[in-house]
Amino acid sequence: MRFLYVLLCICLCSSPVVFAQLRGQARVDSLKNELTKAAEDTSKVNLLQSLSRATFFLDSAASFDYGKQALSLAEKLKDDKFISEICYYLGNWHLQRGLYNTALDYEFRALEYQKKMNDIEGMASINTNIGGIYASLSDYPKALEYTFQGLRLFEKNGNKNGQANCLTNIGNHYGEQSDSKKALEYYLKAFEIYKAEGIQEGIALTVGNIGSVQYSLGEKSKAAESFQQSLDLYKKLENYEGMERNYNNLGALAIAKKNFAQELN
C-alpha cells in the first residue's frame, strides 16, 4: 500500500477576485482581455501567472508558455519574490507531469532566491518539496536530507503544521525503503502535532499511513482499525479522495482475509 505524501506550497500572489469567480474558458478569456491592457509591471506578472494556472488542464503548452512569460517579465523587473514564486510554480508544473529533473532545476532556482531574501517559510517549503521530488526519483538519501532541512527550518520559525507535514514525509521516505519501525516513529510524531494543533486533515492522513505500516507488518486487525478511523475522519471532512483511498485499503484487507481463509480450507 502506498504512503500519502504532503506537497507544501509558498504563497503565490492572487489575481483579482472577479477572476476567481469565473471558471474554465470563460476565465481564460477574461484574463486574456485584461492582459491586453496591462502595463509591463507586477500586475502583468500576476495576470500571466493566473493564465498559466487557468490553462493548466485546458492547454498544457499554453500554460507553460504563460508561466515562462511571467518569469521573463519578473526577471526584467528584477523582482526576486516573483522570480522565486514563479520558479517554484514551474517546478510544480513539471512535477505534476512527471518531469522530475526539470522540476528540480526550477525548485533549486526558487530556493536560491528564497535564501537571498532569507524567507525561512519559503526555504522550508521548497526544501520539503525537493525532498518529495527526490523520493519520486527513488533517491531516498537525498529525499531525507532535504526533508530534514525543511523540518529544521519549520522548527526555527515555529510552524507546527509544516513540522508535522515534514515528519509525515520523512515517515513516507522510510516506509518506501521498507523501514517500518522508522516510518512508524515519524508518523507518530506527526500525529501528536496534528492532534495538538487540531488539524483534522493531518490526523486523517497520518492515521491512514500508520495503517499502511501496520499492514506491511502483517498486523491486519490494527491496520483495519486505522483505515476505518481514517475513513471516518475523511467522511466528516467530506474529503472524497481520502474516503476512496481508505475504502480501497479496507477492500484490499478484506480480499487478503478471504484468500487466507481459502488457503486454510
Side-chain angles (χ1 to χ4, degrees), residues 222-237:
K222 288 184 178 179
E225 291 176 8
S226 294
F227 291 144
Q228 186 62 55
Q229 184 182 350
S230 181
L231 173 62
D232 292 341
L233 287 166
Y234 278 125
K235 283 181 178 178
K236 291 179 181 178
L237 295 167

Side-chain angles (χ1 to χ4, degrees), residues 218-258:
E219 300 174 348
K220 302 292 195 297
S221 296
K222 288 184 178 179
E225 291 176 8
S226 294
F227 291 144
Q228 186 62 55
Q229 184 182 350
S230 181
L231 173 62
D232 292 341
L233 287 166
Y234 278 125
K235 283 181 178 178
K236 291 179 181 178
L237 295 167
E238 297 184 352
N239 183 319
Y240 296 104
E241 182 180 346
M243 289 163 58
E244 179 184 6
R245 185 167 57 253
N246 282 286
Y247 276 127
N248 288 339
N249 288 342
L250 287 166
L253 274 171
I255 292 170
K257 184 177 180 181
K258 181 179 178 181

